[in-house]
Amino acid sequence: CEEILRRFSKNPGGIPPRIQEDRSVDESGVDGVGLWMTENQSPADDVSCFVQPTQETVDAVEKISKQAGDRLVVLLNPQWRNIDDALDTASKSDGVFAGLASFLGGKGNSLRRLEEMGYKSVFTLEGYICKGINVRLMQRLDSDWAVFAENESTYTFVGTSPTRPSYQVVDTMLSDNGFERTLLY
């Protein structure tokens, strides 16, 4: 995170910004969640970066974002799942049940709040196993999803999709590219 902050900070006269870490955004103190902030010569050049933010830290993200105004605030490696469970699905709807589902742990309200604040994923890298093969999904803000499969000690490109490809679509891409099911014992 320090390198990201330094890269997006101005260094007038070659003086690097001072960087502070704040772990108080994570009440448990054990999840690796933190807030890193630069202190530049001009506060207008300050940058903030939340590392591994969770649903529980969205209030802090909102507070810092309001304070930052037009300054850059980054969410690095957010810890919300891509797969929805019943509470996640219910919390994305409207009404009393949605509020209850969010209260019980559904991520819908947190994601809605982040979207309202203008947050967008600019680079996503995900991984899972399909057919016993390590698969990586990658997407940049302005491009389709790219799918790669591990082939010995490297990754091979197997296809693209305009939307996040489902497990079934990835399975088909693997078959179309000669990757066969591997049995795990």
Side-chain angles (χ1 to χ4, degrees):
C1 193
E2 281 187 62
E3 284 303 313
I4 291 171
L5 291 174
R6 282 197 168 91
R7 175 165 274 188
F8 286 102
S9 294
K10 296 180 181 176
N11 295 353
I15 300 171
R18 180 176 166 201
I19 297 178
Q20 289 190 324
E21 180 183 15
D22 178 1
R23 294 277 178 148
S24 69
V25 296
D26 177 23
E27 290 181 14
S28 73
V30 296
D31 293 332
V33 177
L35 169 62
W36 293 61
M37 300 170 286
T38 62
E39 288 182 8
N40 288 285
Q41 289 182 339
S42 169
D45 296 331
D46 288 348
V47 178
S48 300
C49 179
F50 284 88
V51 178
Q52 295 190 164
T54 62
Q55 288 174 230
E56 292 80 13
T57 59
V58 172
D59 287 340
V61 170
E62 187 170 32
K63 178 183 173 188
I64 295 295
S65 296
K66 285 179 181 176
Q67 291 173 354
D70 291 336
R71 293 174 288 177
L72 180 64
V73 178
V74 177
L75 304 181
L76 182 66
N77 195 21
Q79 299 299 301
W80 26 87
R81 304 173 309 275
N82 285 323
I83 306 301
D84 288 350
D85 61 21
L87 288 175
D88 293 329
T89 301
S91 69
K92 290 180 180 179
S93 63
D94 293 321
V96 175
F97 186 61
L100 178 62
S102 287
F103 175 77
L104 293 174
K107 66 184 175 190
N109 186 50
S110 296
L111 296 178
R112 186 173 22 260
R113 289 173 60 197
L114 291 168
E115 187 175 314
E116 288 168 0
M117 287 185 263
Y119 282 93
K120 295 180 181 174
S121 294
V122 294
F123 183 81
T124 304
L125 178 63
E126 300 174 9
Y128 59 84
I129 296 175
C130 180
K131 292 183 163 183
I133 300 164
N134 286 322
V135 173
R136 298 294 180 260
L137 307 178
M138 185 173 71
Q139 193 226 11
R140 198 177 62 199
L141 175 67
D142 59 352
S143 65
D144 289 345
W145 286 86
V147 181
F148 298 86
E150 188 173 27
N151 189 6
E152 296 180 21
S153 63
T154 187
Y155 279 85
T156 302
F157 174 77
V158 295
T160 63
S161 175
T163 59
R164 185 182 183 282
S166 67
Y167 186 90
Q168 292 77 12
V169 168
V170 170
D171 187 15
T172 300
M173 287 179 183
L174 291 173
S175 294
D176 291 348
N177 283 275
F179 287 89
E180 296 303 321
R181 184 171 312 276
T182 303
L183 298 176
L184 301 175
Y185 294 98

